[in-house]
Structures are given as C-alpha cells and as structure tokens.
C-alpha cells in the first residue's frame, strides 16, 4: 500500500549546499506580508471582550448598548455559534472535541480563565470597537478557581467541568474530576527492576507554563460574500486545518472557505489552533464587510495557549557499574481550561533514549483555570526530560561515571524495544553522544563558579498528508506549489533544492510558493518536524513523475521508444543501453514545444507520508553562576543532533540554534505568573522575559547524519529535538557549578539566589 | 494470524487484554475487528491510534496491508509543535 520512497545513496549536487532562500529578499527589505499587513477596502476592525475572572458563571450578556454605538456594525456572542456535541470529531486529520473548541473561542456557560473570550465586535475603527467592548454588560457569578496542577488534582478542588470524569480508569469514577485522563506506558517488571538496583534516586520537579514567544501575534482578515463564500488571510501553521475547523464551527461547506496563509512571524506550535478566525468570518457574515482582527501581545498571553506547566516525579534504579535496571515517572500536566495537554507525547519521550527492560510512565491530563494549552516544539517532551535527565546526571555523578559514558552504556539503538510500542529502526543516538564526547567543548577548562551540563532528547518526527504541484513553465523554469506552510524555517528553499536535485537543474530555476487551500488538496500542519520529511517526499515524487512525463514526451517528439530516453543532468538523453540515438533535449527545449506536443507538463503528489525516522540530540552547556545575584550566564553552548540528512545545512543549524535559544529562555527566565485572584500578572515581554541576543553566546552546532531509510534523501526532521535538552542541561550545569540541584523551573536569579542562601543556611 | 499488541494505555478499554491474534488483511480490518471485540476501544481507535506494523509506524493508513505473520502494535497518534 505504501508508495513511499526509500533512501538511495547517490552523488549530490544541490542537496547539502547553502543557497539563498527564495523568501529572503522580501523578509530583509520589509516587502514580505505578514498577517497584519493584509487589508481590504471597507474593512472593519474586530476586537474581543475577554473575561476579567479566572472562573465564573455567565448569568447574562447584554450587547444592546454596544450595538447602538455609531460605527459598530456587528457583535457576536455565544448565541451566534452552534452547540457542538461532547465527542471527538475528525476534522482536518485531527480528532477534536468541538464542544471544547466552541467554548474556547467563545465562552458559553462559564468563563474558565482570565482572558477567555465572551464577545466580539466589528466596528469602523479600533477606537470605536474598543468603546463598544466597554459597553457590553456581563453579569457574572464568581466561582472558586484553581491554577496549580497538583491542587487541581486533589479531591474537593474547584471543578472546571462538572461532567468530566477521569478517562482511562476502570471502573469509571463516581465523582467528576479535573483529571481528564490517566494514561500509562511501560513494560517489564518494575518491582523486580528496582529490587535488582544497587542505587535508586527518586526526585520531584515542577515547571511553569511558558509561551512559544512567536514575534508576530495572531492576525487575520476575513471577507464573507453574499453568496455564502468566505475568504480568510491568516498567520497559521496549517491553513487547511484552519479551514476545516472554521467550516465545522461555522457549519459551512469546506470548499466555501478559501484560506490564504500569510508569511508567518513564528508559530512553534502556537499557531496550530484557530482563535479569532471563526469570529472574524462570523463578524464579516453579520456585517457584510471584511473584518480584520489583530491580537495584542497581552491578548496573546491571556488568550492563546502556552505549553503546560507540570509536576513530574522520576525514580531510576541502577547497578553500581552503571546499568539502569528500572525507571519510573509520573507526569502531571496542566491542560488549561479544556483537556488535551501533551502528556501523552511527553510520556512516550520520557525514557526513550534508553534501552530499558523495566519501565513505567503514568501521565495525567489535568484541567485548570488557565488558557487551553497549545503545542510548543516537541510538545511536552522538554518537561519530562528535565526531570529524567536531571536524575540521569545525578545518577552518573553518584556512580562516579562520566555523564556521556553513562548514557552510552544505556543508550537506545537499532532494535531497542521502546516502552510505547515498536522497536527502533536505524537511529543515531550513539553517534550523537559520541560526537558530543569528541567535541572540544566537552574537554575545555572551566573557571571558578562555572559548570558544565549535558542532556539529551528524542523526538519521533512525523509524516501525514501532504500535497504539492510542480509545473513546467513555457521557458523551462519551474514553479513548485506547496501545501506545507513555510514557518520561516526555510522549507521553501529545501523543497526547491530537492526538486532541482531530482531534475538536474539549477536551484534558482525552481520557484517555490505556498498555495492557498483552493489550489491543492488537503495538507496537514507544519508541526512535529514533518515538513522536510513529508513535503520533501512529496516534492521528490512530483519531480520523478514529471521526469517520467518528460521522457514520454521526448520519446514522442524524437520518435524513439520511451525506454531509449534517459533523464540525466537536466536533459533528456539517449539511454546508456543505446536503444536509439537522438538529439538530447533540455528542459527549456521541451517546454517550448510543450503546448504543441500534448500540452504543458506537470508533476503532482498527494500522499500520506509514512516512515518518519526518530531524531536524537545531545547538548553541552557551560554556565557561570553569580553567587551574589543568582544570575546564570550561558558561556558556551553546543548542539549535536542526528537529522538524517541536512538538505540545507544552514537552515538545519538555524533550527538547532533556535530550539536551544528557546530552551535557554524556558530554563532561565520564562514563566506565567498568576496572582491569588487567578489573573495573569505578566502578559507582556517586559515582565515575561524571553532571551535577547545579548543573553546568548554563539550556539555551536554539529550535524550528525544517520540516514532515515524511509526517505529518498534520508531526511528525519530537526525542529523539535533541539528544544528538549536545554532545561535539563542547564540544571545539570548549575549543579556542576554550585553543587545545588534545582528542580523548580525557571532558574531565575531569585530562585537561584534562594537556593544558594538556603544551602548556606543549612551549613550554618 | 497477525500478532496484535496494544499499548498499556489502552488496557482500560480491553479488560486488560494487551496481546491477541487476529486474522486481518489491513489496518481498517484490524480496527473493525478490535472495535467489535472491545466496544469501549472503538472511540479511541477513531480518536487517534497509529499502528506499528513490524516496527514501522503508520498514521492514518487504513489500507496499509498487514501480513499473516506481521507483528502489529497499536500506539497513540503523534502530533507535534
């Protein structure tokens, strides 16, 4: 059934080089158009009224005064959206509970978090829209709230959904709970494994929600026409998925919505979900005018999904010679106001770097009065790995082993049985660890108050539905229309490189663009490190299809059998076997004759890519701890990662550096701070501190290439893995510098200083 | 018959059964057979189960063939950021 292409080693001319990206000039000159840059004549401005309470029952919403304000053209509330059943529905290749989706985009019975949307208005200007929001009267019944995941799991905690019973538990619980789901993975005999252990370490960790920190807030423009068609321009990681979800909640036919993706100023998982898009379409439908909605940074923090905070417990047993005999973890993840945290992926990633005979991971998905969480690079994995890699480091130290040698002794490799399912195929974890150990960074001397940490990460990588269309233009140049969004990582360049490599033409002759939802068939999100693997596979299939058509066409033109025509070096040439001789034809020559010899020539691919190859990474970090202030400075950072094959090494390095930079921010400073009233205290980049350039050294990279056998160029994927190890690596480095093991993220100056002061007080 | 193994997270929906053998020719037949045998599992199959056939993971691949001597493991579908 699978039509996927297998890896073939061959001499490469373009893949592996570093050409300039086709979207680069527009990006650096300011011509590139992002979500907020789109406008239509007569457009209105849409704004959202948000809850000022963490948890409250909505007794009434009165929009009459707002509607009466001159300049206000439409208002929508819960009344304008259909009730959806409480069940999982297949939409856009995802199974989604639309009861929750409709309630997250517009509160119904209750508001469930500070920032929860209650109403939206469309007006002739932003100031009128804001004035209208102030005129909407909402009567609340304030309810007790719960923010912390451990508190939310306790009996008697304020319930967000009185009809939610913990799934995955038999028999079905008698009482509703904020624990939406319990899951468990594992194999072997855990008790026997711990009995066999000579050293056991058991620790508990806590992390805070952190935001993806994309620079461009969500922005969209919707236009609904009198014949029931809608156009939408939006900043998204998946325009087909957005279309599907908007169609569902607005009860429209999918083909009546056309979504054009704008350039995207970062997403990292945060732009996988609809927020304002259905509101903008509904407001446009009601007002008969285009409606533009641009979120503020404060709205981004209060109303969109961060990654969860969590409580993590880890226990590892080991023999004195360094063999892990048993490993156990409990992962308690905040889901936000609705179920659906990434605790499942986190559970599957927690220990997969190690070859373990006895292992168990239990996860809980817990609703709390915070915004519904969203994906963030390698969703959930960094949180689990912070706990596991911290204990691994502590274990290595206790055993007197080098931390990389300890990992190598227990490393997963081809044939390792994972505890979540299959055995691993060819993977590059050992090669990655060996490359890290051999790096000069690992042996460089350290100064006073300085320490070095190591940690590693694993991510599955994924495939999924992918489409593209490759068209030969009349002058012999090529246009490549992609269904996969380029989330600014440079994937358009990588796709064009693979097509150019296949066809044997210069990279510059392939012009890649991202098509709108009416131009191609369904294409999944850019997520899970799938783009270069899955879209690359589609591009190679389309290119090979085009080559086959080119061969057939030249055979007809030159009046020779098709098997006499070979495609080599960008030209149709006589096959080596010498079936028939003929004058070779270039792509331009064939294109010029295309219209008169049967029409234009194109290649297409509509696939569901299978066979993604897992990726592994190892990070080394040096820190210096200021014992007077608690500030942690990153002195040196090296990322080593198996990516299968780097199509465009510069963009792979960019992914590795970007992931590390975000992980450093996660480790050192980032956290959502809530007051006792359940209100977010730091919804802006002044009080929520992401790293800036001066915080970071140059991040060194080492690309390891162990080919994925299920991709024609051996691609695995690279975007998720590099955010997994930093939190643990930095915690391990701080311990190496100070002797203090930090188990509460972030390791911000006040927290580090407190740990230093507490340790000094304990010593007396 | 193909040997079928389920991830332990699915145990609550199969009365604890995590291994069985089934005569199925593709993933769709596998899901149908499992859904009939374990009705509580049906919604989970629909809601996002991937399969590893002889250690190769397939997502949303209902027509993927399963050989008589294949080993099939049901796992949760993987998304990402």
């Amino acid at each position: 059934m699978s039509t996927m292409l297998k890896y073939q080693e061959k001499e490469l001319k373009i893949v592996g080089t570093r050409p300039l990206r086709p979207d680069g000039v527009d990006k650096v000159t300011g011509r590139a158009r992002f979500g907020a840059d789109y406008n239509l004549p007569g457009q209105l401005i849409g704004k959202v009224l948000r809850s000022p309470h963490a948890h409250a029952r909505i007794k009434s919403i009165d929009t009459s005064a707002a509607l009466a304000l001159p300049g206000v053209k439409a208002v929508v509330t819960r009344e304008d959206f259909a009730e959806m059943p409480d069940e999982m529905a297949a939409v856009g290749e995802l199974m989604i509970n639309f009861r929750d989706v409709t309630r997250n985009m517009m509160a119904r019975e209750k508001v469930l978090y500070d920032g929860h949307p209650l109403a939206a208005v469309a007006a002739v200007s932003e100031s009128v829209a804001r004035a209208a929001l102030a005129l909407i009267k909402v009567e609340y019944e304030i309810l007790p709230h719960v923010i912390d995941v451990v508190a939310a799991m306790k009996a008697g905690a304020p319930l967000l959904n009185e009809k939610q019973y913990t799934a995955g538990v038999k028999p079905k619980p008698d009482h509703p709970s904020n624990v939406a789901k319990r899951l468990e993975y594992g194999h072997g005999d855990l008790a026997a494994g711990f009995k066999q252990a000579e050293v056991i370490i058991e620790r508990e960790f806590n992390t805070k929600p952190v935001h993806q920190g994309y620079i461009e807030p969500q922005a969209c423009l919707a236009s609904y026409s009198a014949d029931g068609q809608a156009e939408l321009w939006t900043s998204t990681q998946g325009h087909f998925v957005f279309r599907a979800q908007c169609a569902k909640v607005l009860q429209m036919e999918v083909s009546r919505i056309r979504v054009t993706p704008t350039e995207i100023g970062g997403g990292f998982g945060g732009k996988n979900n609809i927020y304002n898009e259905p509101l903008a379409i509904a407001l446009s439908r009601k007002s008969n005018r285009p409606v533009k909605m641009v979120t503020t940074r404060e709205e981004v923090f209060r109303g969109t999904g961060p990654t969860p905070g969590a409580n993590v417990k880890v226990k590892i047993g080991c023999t004195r010679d360094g063999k892990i005999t048993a490993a156990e973890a409990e992962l308690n993840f905040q889901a936000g106001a609705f179920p659906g945290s990434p605790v499942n992926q986190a559970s599957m990633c927690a220990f997969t770097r190690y070859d373990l005979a006895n292992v168990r991971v239990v996860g809980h998905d817990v609703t709390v009065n915070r915004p519904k969480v969203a994906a963030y690079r390698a969703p959930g994995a960094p949180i689990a790995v912070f706990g596991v890699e911290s204990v691994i480091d502590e274990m290595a130290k206790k055993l007197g082993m080098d931390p990389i040698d300890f990992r190598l002794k227990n490393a997963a490799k081809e044939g390792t049985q994972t505890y979540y399912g299959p055995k691993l195929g060819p993977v590059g974890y050992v090669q990655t660890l060996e490359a890290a150990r051999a790096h000069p960074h690992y042996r460089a001397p350290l100064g006073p108050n300085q320490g070095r940490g190591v940690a590693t990460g694993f991510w599955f990588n994924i495939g999924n539905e992918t489409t593209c269309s490759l068209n030969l233009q009349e002058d012999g140049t090529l246009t490549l229309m992609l269904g996969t969004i380029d989330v600014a990582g440079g994937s358009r360049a990588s796709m064009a490189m693979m097509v150019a490599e296949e066809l044997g033409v210069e990279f510059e002759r392939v012009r890649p663009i991202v098509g709108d939802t009416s131009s191609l068939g369904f294409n999944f999100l850019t997520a899970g490190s799938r783009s270069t693997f899955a879209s690359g596979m589609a591009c190679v299939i389309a290119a090979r299809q085009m080559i086959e058509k080119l061969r057939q066409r030249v055979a007809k033109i030159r009046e020779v059998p098709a098997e006499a025509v070979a495609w080599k070096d960008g030209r149709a040439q006589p096959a080596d076997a010498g079936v028939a001789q003929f004058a070779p034809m270039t792509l331009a020559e064939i294109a010029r004759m295309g219209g008169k010899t049967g029409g234009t020539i194109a290649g297409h691919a509509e696939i569901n890519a299978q066979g993604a190859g897992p990726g592994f990474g190892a990070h080394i970090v040096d820190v210096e701890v200021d014992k007077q202030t608690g500030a942690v400075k990153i002195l040196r950072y090296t990322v080593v990662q198996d990516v299968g094959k780097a199509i465009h090494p510069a963009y792979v390095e960019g992914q590795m550096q970007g992931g590390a930079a975000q992980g450093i921010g996660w480790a050192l400073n980032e956290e959502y701070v809530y007051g006792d009233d359940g209100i977010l205290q730091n919804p802006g980049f002044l009080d929520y501190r992401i790293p800036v350039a001066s915080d970071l050294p140059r991040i060194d990279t080492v690309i390891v290439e162990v080919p994925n056998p299920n991709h024609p160029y051996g691609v695995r994927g690279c975007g998720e893995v590099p955010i997994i190890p930093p939190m643990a690596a930095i915690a391990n480095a701080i311990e190496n510098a100070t002797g203090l093991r930090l188990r509460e993220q972030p390791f911000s100056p006040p927290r580090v200083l407190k740990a230093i002061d507490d340790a000094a007080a304990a010593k007396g | 018959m193909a040997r079928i193994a389920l991830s332990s997270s699915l145990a609550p929906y199969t009365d604890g059964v995590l291994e069985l053998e089934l005569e199925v020719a593709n993933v769709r037949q596998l899901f149908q057979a499992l859904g009939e045998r374990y009705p509580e599992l049906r919604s989970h199959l629909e809601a996002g189960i991937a399969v590893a056939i002889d250690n190769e993971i397939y997502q949303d691949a209902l027509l993927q063939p399963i050989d008589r001597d294949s080993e099939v493991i049901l796992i949760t579908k993987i998304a990402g950021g």
Side-chain angles (χ1 to χ4, degrees), chain A residues 136-217:
Chain A
I136 297 174
K137 298 184 186 73
V138 183
E139 199 179 350
Y140 299 99
E141 175 194 346
I142 308 294
L143 300 170
H145 63 271
V146 61
I147 295 290
D148 178 69
V149 66
V150 175
M153 294 174 73
K154 288 181 178 166
L159 287 174
L160 278 78
N161 180 355
E162 295 79 5
K163 295 178 181 173
Q164 177 175 283
Y165 293 80
T166 306
V169 176
K170 275 293 184 87
K172 183 182 174 184
D174 296 330
H175 302 289
S177 169
N178 290 320
V179 181
K181 187 173 186 178
R182 178 191 185 277
L183 54 88
E184 181 178 332
Y185 289 97
H187 64 209
D189 184 338
L190 203 64
F194 279 119
K195 198 172 177 185
Q196 196 185 339
E198 294 168 293
V199 181
I200 294 175
I201 297 177
E202 186 171 8
R203 300 286 181 250
E204 185 167 348
F205 303 82
N206 289 287
T207 70
K208 298 290 180 61
V210 300
H211 198 268
Q212 299 85 354
Y214 38 82
I215 296 303
E216 180 203 22

Side-chain angles (χ1 to χ4, degrees), chain A residues 1-2 93 95 168 170 184-186 237 268-269 272 344 375 379 420-423 459-460 462 527-528 608 610 710 720, chain B residues 7-9 12-13 15 40 46-48 52 55-61 63-65 73 75-81:
Chain A
M1 179 56 212
S2 175
E93 214 184 68
M95 294 299 292
K170 275 293 184 87
E184 181 178 332
Y185 289 97
Q237 291 178 237
F268 314 111
N272 289 353
N344 186 62
Y420 64 82
K423 289 179 181 169
W459 183 254
F460 319 88
I462 57 173
N608 191 334
Q610 309 290 347
N710 297 316
E720 315 289 301
Chain B
S7 151
S8 48
S9 63
Y13 316 109
D15 301 324
E40 281 187 72
E46 292 165 359
N55 297 311
E56 204 72 72
I57 296 177
Y58 296 91
Q59 298 205 149
D60 300 313
L63 303 183
Q64 186 65 34
I73 305 171
I75 63 173
T76 308
K77 263 175 77 174
I78 298 152

